Amino acid sequence: MTKVSLDWSSLGFGYMPISKRYVATYKDGKWGPGALTDDPTVPLNECAGILQYCQQVFEGLKAYKTKDGRTVTFRPDQNAKRMVDSAKRIEMPPVPEAMFMEAVDEVVRANKDWIPPFESGGALYLRPYLFATGSVIGVKPADEYQFRLFGTPVGNYFKNGVKPITICVSDFDRAAPRGTGHIKAGLNYAMSLHAYMTAHAKGFDENMYLDPATRTYVEETGGANFLFVTKDGTLVTPKSDSILPSITRRSLITIAEDMLGMKVEHRPVAFSEVADFAEAGLCGTAAVICPVGRVVDHGKVIDIKSGMDEMGPVLTKLYKTLRGIQMGEIEGPKGWIHEVK
Ligand SMILES: *Cc1c(COP(=O)(O)O)cnc(C)c1O
């Protein structure tokens, strides 16, 4: 394989087709064997279930180079399990966990020259996804599906420094009570795009969605969970059935409790509490933690105490610990780092 030459330091978060991707098809009630392919295009029938009734779920994770030169992924088994849960809710045949894990390893191995070097702070972003290829016109689940997994190199999320963002309370809801907010489905994103563009047009970086039933509790943003820190250093994360169970958030909770000896509360968080928190942030695979400096609720400005200059001290400690584990510099809980040989 020819060595890839990219300007790793200027990479952002975008798509570029790279050497190989994984494809497996579901047909006649069972999964066929998966394989790597060079073809980045997906031929589809005009009546495919994904095109008509939006049967699609996905995942997102990263492969990294560690300081000592190993290639690793972070808790891919958790992505595999979450995609099983997502698929079931949309009446799709779940991708067997072993096939998901094989797809991750094979794509990482086949594209090893596309993984940004350790020093760049970048990663190979991996996108597993499952969608209906079978034709449906009467409303029902399709009978044929495809599972694909591609990678694309992405840069250091904080290459211009860690700057707290400003978010606004959205007038739109992200997910319905008892709906699909807890699964990773493209349809949740389709309906969040208008809210996202509306927030951007008003100069905000992101939306804070409230619980759709009462609009008094904090849910999450379009693609990241909230983290809050109280004045006495307790980590607080919102709990609701319509929040996506972020693997980053769950990992940070474990780190806070088991490694840093912090107090953690995972519970409903009233919007009225936000003004009292000392620190606020968003968490997800893309940034790990992105600090929030200001929340604006229809003209009412709430300045988070840690300010607009930097990430607060507690979130910084959590961020450094999780990044240290991912980069192989800190020993994490057993099974979190999956080496691809
Ligand atoms: C993917 C996602 C997250 C973050 O989850 P991670 O597993 O931490 O990457 C949070 N919220 C939503 C809505 C998501 O789709």
Side-chain angles (χ1 to χ4, degrees):
M1 194 188 297
T2 49
K3 193 82 189 150
V4 171
S5 90
L6 276 179
D7 179 7
W8 305 109
S9 64
S10 69
L11 273 180
F13 191 82
Y15 167 74
M16 77 176 69
I18 60 171
S19 311
K20 304 274 184 194
R21 67 278 300 132
Y22 185 94
V23 188
T25 55
Y26 179 92
K27 199 173 155 166
D28 301 326
K30 58 180 191 297
W31 281 103
L36 293 173
T37 170
D38 292 335
D39 189 357
T41 63
V42 183
L44 279 176
N45 179 268
E46 61 190 349
C47 207
I50 175 61
L51 298 179
Q52 303 308 328
Y53 302 124
C54 216
Q55 268 189 298
Q56 183 260 19
V57 296
F58 69 102
E59 275 301 325
L61 69 162
K62 287 173 169 175
Y64 309 86
K65 283 256 189 265
T66 61
K67 197 172 193 171
D68 57 6
R70 291 176 301 147
T71 300
V72 302
T73 51
F74 181 71
R75 306 188 75 182
D77 55 317
Q78 297 300 309
N79 296 94
K81 287 190 168 65
R82 190 169 63 187
M83 199 154 101
V84 168
D85 295 339
S86 298
K88 286 181 179 165
R89 180 63 178 77
I90 310 277
E91 292 293 334
M92 306 169 89
V95 174
E97 283 175 40
M99 181 188 271
F100 186 103
M101 298 293 281
E102 171 188 277
V104 169
D105 283 7
E106 286 199 9
V107 169
V108 171
R109 226 178 268 129
N111 297 287
K112 63 181 191 316
D113 291 342
W114 293 91
I115 307 173
F118 168 79
E119 297 73 27
S120 73
L124 184 67
Y125 180 76
L126 302 171
R127 170 54 59 90
Y129 59 118
L130 166 66
F131 56 98
T133 52
S135 57
V136 277
I137 193 79
V139 178
K140 64 173 194 305
D143 54 11
E144 292 181 11
Y145 294 85
Q146 200 168 107
F147 166 57
R148 295 180 74 102
L149 190 152
F150 66 78
T152 190
V154 298
N156 181 349
Y157 191 89
F158 292 120
K159 66 169 180 280
N160 300 318
V162 182
K163 278 282 163 216
I165 61 168
T166 299
I167 63 177
C168 65
V169 174
S170 182
D171 285 328
F172 300 98
D173 295 325
R174 187 191 80 88
R178 297 171 289 279
T180 55
H182 62 298
I183 62 163
K184 216 168 171 72
L187 56 91
N188 290 327
Y189 280 78
M191 58 175 277
S192 76
L193 294 176
H194 179 61
Y196 182 76
M197 295 308 283
T198 304
H200 266 226
K202 292 182 183 156
F204 299 108
D205 298 299
E206 260 297 347
N207 281 300
M208 171 184 274
Y209 293 105
L210 301 180
D211 77 288
T214 72
R215 313 206 97 239
T216 52
Y217 290 94
V218 176
E219 295 252 298
E220 59 173 319
T221 66
N225 284 182
F226 278 107
L227 304 169
F228 297 105
V229 179
T230 63
K231 286 173 204 144
D232 63 4
T234 300
L235 177 67
V236 180
T237 59
K239 184 175 184 177
S240 146
D241 290 343
S242 44
I243 291 177
L244 195 281
S246 156
I247 295 163
T248 314
R249 186 249 300 157
R250 288 182 277 149
S251 303
L252 289 166
I253 287 176
T254 302
I255 288 170
E257 280 180 332
D258 299 352
M259 295 178 71
L260 303 176
M262 288 170 59
K263 216 178 133 220
V264 176
E265 293 173 4
H266 180 51
R267 59 165 173 82
V269 175
F271 178 67
S272 58
E273 290 179 65
V274 171
D276 292 329
F277 289 124
E279 300 177 37
L282 303 177
C283 68
T285 295
V288 178
I289 299 178
C290 173
V292 172
R294 176 174 287 178
V295 182
V296 179
D297 176 22
H298 301 89
K300 187 173 154 258
V301 175
I302 300 168
D303 282 318
I304 305 295
K305 290 171 188 66
S306 53
M308 291 302 289
D309 294 328
E310 55 190 16
M311 194 181 307
V314 175
L315 291 186
T316 299
K317 194 153 81 183
L318 284 165
Y319 174 80
K320 287 197 168 150
T321 308
L322 183 47
R323 285 293 287 158
I325 292 170
Q326 290 175 336
M327 289 300 178
E329 295 169 314
I330 296 174
E331 179 89 33
K334 202 167 172 295
W336 278 19
I337 294 302
H338 174 80
E339 187 172 352
V340 183
K341 286 190 173 141

